Amino acid sequence: MKKRQVVMKKDCTGGKNSTTSSSMVRTVRYVECQKNHAANIGGYAVDGCREFMASGDEGTNGALLCAACGCHRNFHRREVETEVVCEYSPPTFND
């Protein structure tokens, strides 16, 4: 299994008279299932489920079960995508 680490630098500093605001948007996706179905016999076999699809509405127990493979959401690989949005207003100069 490959592990990836993403480091994002947040630098939204402005000048003395400028205004800067930033916000962070985080998106979580659950992708391929990694449950080992042959673990009890000493083997390794995955079912090939490519993406988590909730079998119920958000807030219910069905939201944690995959409609495609029947596994719990924790067996699916989690991908977190973070985006930092900076809004910058240029400084104003008074004559």
Side-chain angles (χ1 to χ4, degrees), residues 8-94:
M8 296 183 72
K9 183 177 180 184
K10 181 180 170 184
D11 184 16
C12 294
T13 58
K16 185 177 178 182
N17 296 330
S18 66
T19 58
T20 303
S21 64
S22 65
S23 62
M24 186 181 301
V25 178
R26 181 171 282 172
T27 306
V28 177
R29 285 184 359 151
Y30 293 91
V31 289
E32 71 266 2
C33 184
Q34 298 176 336
K35 182 177 180 180
N36 183 3
H37 293 278
N40 59 350
I41 60 171
Y44 182 76
V46 292
D47 61 6
C49 180
R50 300 294 294 162
E51 186 174 355
F52 175 80
M53 294 182 291
S55 60
D57 293 331
E58 189 66 35
T60 64
N61 288 338
L64 301 176
L65 297 176
C66 182
C69 65
C71 293
H72 192 273
R73 184 175 72 183
N74 288 345
F75 285 109
H76 289 259
R77 185 170 59 86
R78 183 178 184 201
E79 284 187 347
V80 179
E81 186 174 304
T82 305
E83 180 181 348
V84 177
V85 179
C86 296
E87 296 176 8
Y88 172 74
S89 298
T92 57
F93 297 104
N94 295 329

